[in-house]
Amino acid sequence: MIQAMLDFIRINKEWFFSGAGVVAISAIFNFLRNKTKEKDPPTTNQIATRNAVNIQGSGDIAVGSIIVKENSIPTKLAKPIFFIKPSGRTLISGQDPEHRLQIHNRGGDCYNVNLQSDVFSKEFNFPKISRGRHTSITVTTPRGTDAMTIIITALDGNGMEHQQAINGINFRDGYKFY
């Protein structure tokens, strides 16, 4: 085999040493070296503080059943999720009732809220309600309003817009939201 290689070089010495042969042989050696070279395994670093965990890594990262790909927040974590709690109401004889509601955010950033019913519509704009925070709104409903739908427009952690509709039914002691 070595003799065959030496014969090949002797017969093709002009081509071999002209530059084209050097490039071709370098390409073959690089190909073989890269094919056998083992790739670096993905790395993951985790830093935990009292209220947060910061996970950084290369490649995909699995957090429980959620897989983070290409540096985007998984939909399960990024999607806005809200709930509404009544925080009080004011009833004054002869006037429409005033309801105080708290919008709690368990997901992406909230930017506006539309309240709609069969008899009224009102929009509230916020600079931002971050995850884990809440804000209060006050709405006066015409007497006899039995139900309302609150439509929350929010951006998820990846910047995609989502809407969530929450229905409320008016009982004797105020609205209940489902």
Side-chain angles (χ1 to χ4, degrees):
M1 175 124 165
I2 294 176
Q3 186 61 38
M5 289 177 61
L6 292 173
D7 289 340
F8 175 79
I9 293 171
R10 190 180 66 235
I11 294 168
N12 297 300
K13 64 182 169 193
E14 275 186 41
W15 174 84
F16 186 75
F17 292 108
S18 68
V22 173
V23 171
I25 290 178
S26 295
I28 292 169
F29 281 128
N30 278 336
F31 174 76
L32 293 174
R33 186 180 58 178
N34 287 340
K35 191 173 181 179
T36 59
K37 183 179 176 183
E38 195 170 312
K39 293 186 177 183
D40 293 335
T43 60
T44 304
N45 297 323
Q46 179 175 332
I47 301 168
T49 63
R50 194 172 117 216
N51 295 322
V53 175
N54 179 9
I55 301 172
Q56 297 175 337
S58 62
D60 296 347
I61 298 174
V63 181
S65 64
I66 299 169
I67 297 176
V68 179
K69 291 185 176 219
E70 299 176 10
N71 290 330
S72 66
I73 301 171
T75 305
K76 287 181 181 178
L77 298 176
K79 188 175 179 185
I81 302 170
F82 298 92
F83 67 95
I84 296 174
K85 287 177 32 180
S87 60
R89 70 180 176 155
T90 304
L91 298 171
I92 298 175
S93 180
Q95 294 183 3
D96 292 335
E98 184 178 271
H99 299 272
R100 288 177 300 287
L101 309 172
Q102 283 187 344
I103 300 171
H104 293 261
N105 184 1
R106 296 184 297 198
D109 297 332
C110 171
Y111 288 92
N112 75 38
V113 173
N114 290 306
L115 273 69
Q116 297 175 347
S117 76
D118 52 349
V119 291
F120 78 96
S121 179
K122 184 165 183 163
E123 184 169 349
F124 297 87
N125 290 306
F126 306 105
K128 183 166 140 177
I129 306 172
S130 299
R131 178 190 295 265
R133 304 283 184 183
H134 70 273
T135 192
S136 296
I137 59 174
T138 301
V139 60
T140 301
T141 59
R143 281 181 278 176
T145 303
D146 294 327
M148 76 169 81
T149 300
I150 298 177
I151 299 172
I152 299 173
T153 303
L155 297 177
D156 70 15
N158 296 317
M160 301 293 294
E161 186 174 286
H162 295 272
Q163 286 191 335
Q164 179 180 348
I166 302 172
N167 296 313
I169 299 173
N170 195 7
F171 291 95
R172 288 187 187 265
D173 58 344
Y175 278 92
K176 305 276 190 262
F177 294 92
Y178 306 96

